[in-house]
Amino acid sequence: MSIGIIGTGVIGGMLARAFGRLPEEQVIIFNRSVAKAEAIRRECSRIRVAHSLPDLVTASDLVLLCTRPSDAEEVMTEIGPGLRSSQTLATTISQIPLAVWEQQTAARVAKVIPSITQTVPSGVVLICYGSRFDGFQERFEMIFSRIATPFVVEEHQLRLSSDLASCGPAFLAHILSQWSVAAARVGDLSQAECEYILSRMLMGVSDLLKNGFTLSEIIRQVAIPGGVTQAGIESLGADVQELFVRLHHATSGGHPSTVAATGIKVRQPDVFSSPYINGTN
Ligand SMILES: NC(=O)c1ccc[n+]([C@@H]2O[C@H](COP(=O)([O-])OP(=O)(O)OC[C@H]3O[C@@H](n4cnc5c(N)ncnc54)[C@H](OP(=O)(O)O)[C@@H]3O)[C@@H](O)[C@H]2O)c1
């Protein structure tokens, strides 16, 4: 499989490094400012830098388009007509509907929403299939299973699932960071010490989950009836759920999907060049 990556910024760069480490994949990259792509090639000598967008498209079975939405139209105008039906175009841009991408090319189209956790590589990569994927899904998911756990969603589920899989690491990091500030306020530890303990605690929880524990099992084993953990959980009350309902309401504004859990309807872009400049995350 040869994988071509267009746009080697935060996400495209991460995917290039992740796939570039795998001996079985050939990775070819192209970025508007060449220096960024060259820097990645220096890190990973197996990666080739394409001379141009058409050069990348010709050499790739799978083209990963990882620019910002506002740059996508220009790229698609150049590569869309040249992509063949035997090729796959996957994009990390969630805001533009699949049907709009499919109008631009004969290739099969999917949305792929990665997460910073694929730097390691770990976590969830969301996949949303277009209409031309019949019989090719298993192979596609196999490619991404080498760097993460693929999770297939429908287009209308993409915003909510992106909050969990892709924005989730930042939400969790923010919560733990605020927790360390609060802990330092109430006791005799510095914020740095609290943050260190919480970070190591999170790594331990991650290992428990890897070893088959569920979230409810962890709670059951730690929160003994009448103990301090149970008192702490009760002190959080029902506000925790409301906090996250508020978060999902906040993120769903301006995206072309309906958030089923909240019933929020948001606007649909009707042309490829809609000025959707906000990223998924
Ligand atoms: N960041 C995340 O955690 C995350 C997660 C999931 C999905 N996404 C989505 O992934 C996309 C990329 O996000 P990002 O954070 O990686 O953005 P970014 O860091 O700004 O990277 C975008 C890259 O695209 C390049 N580019 C722009 N036009 C190009 C063209 N015509 N040809 C080749 N390369 C071109 C840019 O090159 P220059 O160096 O010249 O600017 C830049 O390196 C966004 O649509 C975002 O919504 C992001």
Side-chain angles (χ1 to χ4, degrees), residues 9-11 31-33 36 66-68 75 92-93 279-281:
V10 175
I11 280 298
N31 194 71
R32 184 172 52 193
S33 40
K36 223 186 238 180
C66 306
T67 66
R68 298 199 176 186
V75 174
T92 60
I93 301 170
T280 312
N281 288 18

Side-chain angles (χ1 to χ4, degrees), residues 1 61 129 135-144:
M1 173 66 73
D61 302 307
Y129 290 117
F136 198 75
Q137 288 95 331
E138 201 177 327
R139 191 149 167 233
F140 190 73
E141 285 158 43
M142 180 87 78
I143 297 163
F144 284 93

Side-chain angles (χ1 to χ4, degrees), residues 17 34 56 66-67 76 91 110 131 144 150 166 174-175 195 206-207 225 235 248-249 259 281:
R17 291 180 187 94
V34 182
L56 179 140
C66 306
T67 66
M76 283 307 288
T91 179
S131 63
F144 284 93
S166 190
H174 178 72
I175 288 166
E195 191 168 314
S206 164
D207 286 341
S235 78
H248 293 303
H249 275 247
V259 178
N281 288 18

Side-chain angles (χ1 to χ4, degrees), residues 5-15 30-37 53 65-76 78 91-95 101 112-116 118 159 162 166-167 255 276-281:
I5 300 176
I6 300 172
T8 55
V10 175
I11 280 298
M14 180 190 73
L15 290 172
F30 182 78
N31 194 71
R32 184 172 52 193
S33 40
V34 182
K36 223 186 238 180
L53 285 171
L65 177 54
C66 306
T67 66
R68 298 199 176 186
S70 51
D71 293 317
E73 186 181 19
E74 191 187 322
V75 174
M76 283 307 288
E78 195 170 348
T91 179
T92 60
I93 301 170
S94 68
Q95 297 91 331
W101 292 104
V112 167
I113 307 303
S115 149
I116 192 175
Q118 274 99 71
R159 178 61 266 150
S162 296
S166 190
C167 310
H255 280 267
Y276 275 18
I277 52 166
N278 295 324
T280 312
N281 288 18

Side-chain angles (χ1 to χ4, degrees), residues 140-160:
F140 190 73
E141 285 158 43
M142 180 87 78
I143 297 163
F144 284 93
S145 68
R146 298 196 180 106
I147 62 166
T149 302
F151 190 89
V152 178
V153 293
E154 299 292 330
E155 202 160 19
H156 64 91
Q157 298 171 315
L158 205 52
R159 178 61 266 150
L160 185 60

